[in-house]
Amino acid sequence: LPPERYLTIHQATDRSLYHNPKINSSNYIVIPELQKIFSKDIEEIIKNLTEGVDSTYTRTNSKRNGVDTFKIDKKPILYSFAITNKHLKERDDEFYRRFIIFHTDISREQNKKVALSFAERELQPETKVENYSAWQGHISACLDSTAEIKNPFLPHIIESLPPEISEQVRFRSSVKYLHQLICGATLFNSVADKINQKYLFSELSDNLKVTELYEQVLIDNLYGLSVIDRALLDLLGNEPTHIEAVKQRFGEIYATAIPIEDSLSKLTANGLVGKEGDEYRLRIVPKITFNPEQALDAADKFMQLHYPKYRDQWHEQCLKQTETHAE
């Protein structure tokens, strides 16, 4: 993101946020370590902003004859949270469902890869990234775009989702997030001369790529899974495994100091993991699946009905993507 569009907050109180002169001139708030500023008051501010409403604070003025009002305009927030922090373990579900939560890979193998990458990068001479200014310019143009983005595939995707997904409490907000991600992909993949057209239409490739990338995130958000819960899901197989063997395998891949009993209980309660005595096994985890040809047929009906003027060019592009996907 262009630096002038976001405000980075390392430490703050709720009052300092309201009085920050830059907070309403920025489009985004970036909080590198949320646990450093997390308090109940700041949690409520974040809930308001990420719900899509302004957050306000009022106080009696110095003359005690009126009220001063301070406001933070609604805006997206990007943050990171340490998995060892108590607020992540004891999070407020209302707070949690306001975000798309992306988990880091906490395995020992990944830790080593990150450390090796750092070591190798330190040895290399400094190089200039080619076309970086063009990249920044494209991002800036996308953020300034006035185009309306339409996704004719979305109704078919929703209808194709299994009941295990659609019956979850967070389903509606998760669908909205999925829609926003696909629209973002559509905008980002648009060429420069189309970014500010009246309409941009999501194509088959936008939907296929985003649903594939977002599938695990969607499942984790719907069920409120933590990074530990996800690690266990990826570890368990269809064959029953004794809890001691699960602990041993988890310790080999991740860290033996991380307790897993609460996660196993949560996964079992959600029906994602089956329990028989002291043995656990993976049950059927919901998937996002849809047939590209059927999806295109369904989306095409919407385009013919609502946007016939734009249908032919859009359909031609999607047909090419269907053929590429089949190959």
Side-chain angles (χ1 to χ4, degrees), residues 6 66 74-75 79 86 116 164 186 262 303:
Y6 62 88
K74 62 183 179 181
K75 62 195 67 198
Y79 75 96
K86 67 176 183 178
L116 284 173
E164 293 87 354
T186 301
D262 289 346
M303 289 297 292

Side-chain angles (χ1 to χ4, degrees), residues 98-316:
R98 281 165 164 73
F99 290 93
I100 306 174
I101 309 294
F102 294 95
H103 293 158
T104 56
D105 182 347
I106 60 169
S107 67
R108 296 181 178 192
E109 180 183 0
Q110 178 69 1
N111 288 341
K112 188 173 182 179
K113 286 181 179 178
V114 171
L116 284 173
S117 176
F118 166 74
E120 292 170 357
R121 188 169 62 248
E122 286 298 295
L123 291 172
Q124 296 172 358
E126 185 176 347
T127 57
K128 187 176 181 180
V129 179
E130 294 182 5
N131 299 323
Y132 188 65
S133 59
W135 169 267
Q136 284 186 314
H138 181 65
I139 295 292
S140 186
C142 288
L143 293 173
D144 288 332
S145 174
T146 57
E148 291 185 46
I149 304 172
K150 306 292 183 180
N151 183 14
F153 290 91
L154 190 61
H156 180 78
I157 293 175
I158 294 174
E159 289 178 354
S160 301
L161 295 175
E164 293 87 354
I165 289 180
S166 57
E167 68 188 14
Q168 297 298 317
V169 173
R170 298 185 180 93
F171 175 66
R172 286 180 291 179
S173 59
S174 295
V175 166
K176 290 179 181 179
Y177 288 149
L178 175 61
H179 171 64
Q180 290 168 357
L181 289 173
I182 295 172
C183 288
T186 301
L187 179 60
F188 182 78
N189 291 326
S190 298
V191 294
D193 61 344
K194 291 185 177 181
I195 282 180
N196 282 310
Q197 288 184 352
K198 183 176 182 180
Y199 296 113
L200 290 175
F201 297 96
S202 299
E203 298 176 357
L204 181 63
S205 60
D206 299 322
N207 286 270
L208 286 173
K209 290 175 182 177
V210 171
T211 51
E212 180 181 355
L213 288 168
Y214 182 60
E215 180 179 61
Q216 180 177 305
V217 177
L218 174 67
I219 301 303
D220 292 352
N221 279 272
L222 283 173
Y223 286 92
L225 303 185
S226 70
V227 64
I228 307 300
D229 302 335
R230 167 49 63 179
L232 275 169
L233 264 188
D234 294 340
L235 174 66
L236 291 170
N238 295 321
E239 294 298 321
T241 306
H242 194 275
I243 186 170
E244 293 304 322
V246 175
K247 288 181 179 179
Q248 180 181 353
R249 181 61 176 152
F250 189 87
E252 292 171 353
I253 299 175
Y254 301 101
T256 54
I258 300 176
I260 64 172
E261 287 81 2
D262 289 346
S263 288
L264 284 172
S265 297
K266 180 179 179 180
L267 294 171
T268 302
N270 280 324
L272 298 172
V273 169
K275 182 178 185 296
E276 301 168 11
D278 288 332
E279 294 185 324
Y280 294 85
R281 64 177 178 84
L282 186 68
R283 298 186 69 185
I284 297 176
V285 178
K287 298 285 185 182
I288 303 177
T289 56
F290 64 92
N291 182 285
E293 288 79 12
Q294 293 177 356
L296 179 55
D297 288 342
D300 191 30
K301 292 177 182 178
F302 280 94
M303 289 297 292
Q304 292 184 44
L305 178 63
H306 298 291
Y307 302 99
K309 176 182 175 181
Y310 305 93
R311 181 265 176 187
D312 289 348
Q313 185 178 6
W314 167 88
H315 190 259
E316 183 180 353

